[in-house]
């Protein structure tokens, strides 16, 4: 009917306006960290960057603060994250290094995890990032100065193929492990790629990355999200659609070694392969449970109750 067509047209216009506004705000809030990163690159010609450089910390902290502002500006995107206060207060409280793992729904996931991380520790985080992000000029500069670890996919892969260069990946994994041994924080998406199916079904967690918490005693934190792919669909070039994003961040364990110990029902840390699979499956099951609970609580069209003030704190 004519009324339905008008309603559909109005909805299309509002979605277009939302996407345009989101990407305008994203560009504006990414500009300051890019300027700081570019200045850091220029200064590195005289004084090289090192892992503990205050310039790295300046870029990471600026990005965190600016992207917090982004989410506060985008009032048409509802954002609620359970466990955020505890995460910000307790990350690293055990005195151990930490790892953070999350389900992977959208390009939006990194735009969420960075500002959600406590400002006091965000500069200590190194993430595995996809190599395609290093082909985007502005992000390439920011990622390079932050010192994140690029996942090396084999060149010439057919479309949809994510085959790794295993030799180079072993080098990158060692780089991340060394960072954690020095007291840092590692973060990655253990599904290995964005979810291409039902966003309520978390794909298998690859066990390879969990060799790190078997070799190094760490806290393990998990993040579960729903609604990210509604805001920024995997196939879309731009995000920012009106949506409701629900998340939950929780601690899996204070000690990865204790979690895999035979006394706790694990296989023991001596068998690295079995222990890695045990942690991967355990983390997957808990993230899947959280995703299912969040999806049940936030059906499509549910009222938006955005969490704003805590993102700026």
């Amino acid at each position: 009917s004519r009324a339905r067509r008008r309603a559909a047209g109005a909805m299309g216009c509002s979605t277009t306006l939302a996407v345009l506004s989101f990407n305008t705000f994203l560009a504006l809030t990414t500009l300051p960290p890019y300027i700081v990163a570019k200045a850091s690159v220029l200064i590195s010609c005289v004084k090289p960057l090192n892992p503990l450089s205050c310039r790295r910390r300046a870029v990471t902290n600026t990005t965190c603060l600016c992207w917090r502002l982004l989410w506060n500006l985008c009032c048409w995107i509802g954002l609620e994250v359970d466990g955020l206060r505890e995460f910000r207060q307790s990350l690293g409280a055990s005195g151990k290094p930490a790892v953070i793992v999350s389900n992977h729904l959208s390009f939006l996931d990194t735009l969420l995890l960075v500002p959600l991380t406590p400002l006091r520790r965000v500069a200590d985080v190194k993430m595995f990032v996809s190599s395609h992000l290093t082909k985007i000029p502005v992000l390439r500069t920011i990622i390079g100065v932050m010192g994140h670890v690029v996942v090396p996919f084999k060149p010439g892969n057919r479309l949809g193929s994510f085959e790794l260069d295993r030799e180079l990946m072993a080098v990158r994994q060692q780089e991340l492990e060394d960072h954690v041994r020095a007291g840092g924080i590692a973060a990655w998406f253990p599904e290995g790629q964005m979810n291409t199916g039902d966003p309520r079904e978390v794909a298998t967690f690859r066990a390879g990355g969990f060799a790190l918490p078997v070799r190094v005693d760490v806290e393990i934190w998990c993040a579960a999200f729903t609604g990210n792919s509604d805001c920024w669909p995997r196939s879309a070039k731009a995000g920012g659609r009106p949506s409701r994003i629900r998340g939950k961040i929780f601690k899996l364990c204070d000690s990865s070694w204790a979690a895999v110990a035979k006394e706790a029902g694990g296989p023991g840390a001596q068998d690295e392969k079995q222990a890695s699979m045990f942690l991967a499956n355990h983390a997957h099951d808990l993230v899947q449970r959280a995703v299912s609970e969040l999806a049940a609580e936030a059906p499509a069209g549910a009222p938006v109750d955005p969490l704003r003030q805590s993102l700026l704190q």
Side-chain angles (χ1 to χ4, degrees):
S1 68
R2 183 176 299 178
R4 286 185 178 180
R5 288 198 297 271
R6 286 179 178 175
M11 186 174 296
C13 289
S14 64
T15 298
T16 300
L17 179 59
V19 171
L20 287 172
S21 299
F22 176 84
N23 286 276
T24 299
F25 291 147
L26 176 59
L28 291 173
T29 55
T30 303
L31 183 59
Y34 171 69
I35 292 172
V36 177
K38 196 67 176 177
S40 299
V41 171
L42 294 174
I43 295 171
S44 66
C45 296
V46 179
K47 187 177 181 181
L49 280 168
N50 63 68
L52 300 178
S53 171
C54 62
R55 282 172 282 158
R56 288 190 190 275
R57 187 170 293 274
V59 172
T60 307
N61 287 352
T62 303
T63 304
C64 180
L65 289 172
C66 286
W67 285 356
R68 288 185 185 186
L69 176 60
L70 167 68
W71 289 106
N72 278 269
L73 291 171
C74 298
C75 57
W76 59 91
I77 302 173
L79 177 60
E80 299 173 77
V81 183
D82 298 338
L84 179 58
R85 185 180 299 276
E86 180 188 357
F87 173 59
R88 287 181 169 172
Q89 292 177 346
S90 304
L91 178 62
S94 68
K96 297 182 180 68
V99 301
I100 304 168
V101 296
S102 173
N103 62 323
H104 198 12
L105 297 171
S106 165
F107 182 74
L108 202 72
D109 300 342
T110 303
L111 292 174
L112 276 170
L113 283 174
V114 171
L116 291 175
T117 303
L119 190 61
R120 61 183 175 84
R121 296 303 308 270
V122 69
D124 298 325
V125 177
K126 272 196 176 187
M127 295 186 70
F128 271 134
V129 297
S130 176
S131 56
H132 82 272
L133 294 179
T134 62
K135 299 174 184 177
I136 303 173
V138 172
L139 285 182
R140 177 176 61 220
T141 303
I142 294 173
I143 290 169
V145 175
M146 284 182 173
H148 292 309
V149 182
V150 179
V151 176
F153 293 110
K154 282 189 175 180
N157 279 352
R158 65 184 185 279
L159 185 64
S161 174
F162 292 90
E163 186 179 358
L164 295 174
D165 182 328
R166 296 192 178 278
E167 290 186 6
L168 187 52
M169 187 62 187
V171 175
R172 302 283 168 83
Q173 285 180 314
Q174 186 60 53
E175 179 185 346
L176 195 64
E177 182 178 322
D178 292 342
H179 171 71
V180 172
R181 286 187 184 277
I185 300 170
W188 71 93
F189 301 109
E191 290 170 285
Q193 61 179 325
M194 289 185 198
N195 189 327
T196 58
D198 187 343
R200 296 168 297 182
E201 296 295 327
V202 181
T204 301
F205 280 8
R206 297 183 180 184
F210 286 88
L212 192 160
V214 173
R215 296 170 184 168
V216 186
D217 192 19
V218 297
E219 295 177 4
I220 300 179
W221 289 81
C222 298
F225 291 101
T226 63
N228 301 23
S229 55
D230 295 330
C231 183
W232 194 325
R234 182 176 183 271
S235 59
K237 294 182 179 179
R241 290 158 177 75
S243 52
R244 185 185 187 191
I245 295 173
R246 292 283 285 114
K248 182 177 182 179
I249 304 177
F250 57 93
K251 186 189 293 183
L252 186 150
C253 61
D254 280 311
S255 168
S256 55
W257 287 359
V260 300
K262 293 182 178 179
E263 296 80 2
Q270 292 75 21
D271 189 332
E272 182 178 294
K273 183 177 180 180
Q274 290 299 317
S276 300
M277 291 178 61
F278 175 81
L279 283 178
N281 291 334
H282 186 35
H284 171 274
D285 292 347
L286 292 178
V287 171
Q288 177 63 75
R289 183 191 304 170
V291 167
S292 298
E293 291 172 352
L294 292 170
E297 293 172 5
V304 169
D305 182 16
L307 178 61
R308 302 293 171 199
Q309 186 59 36
S310 61
L311 279 174
L312 286 176
Q313 291 174 351

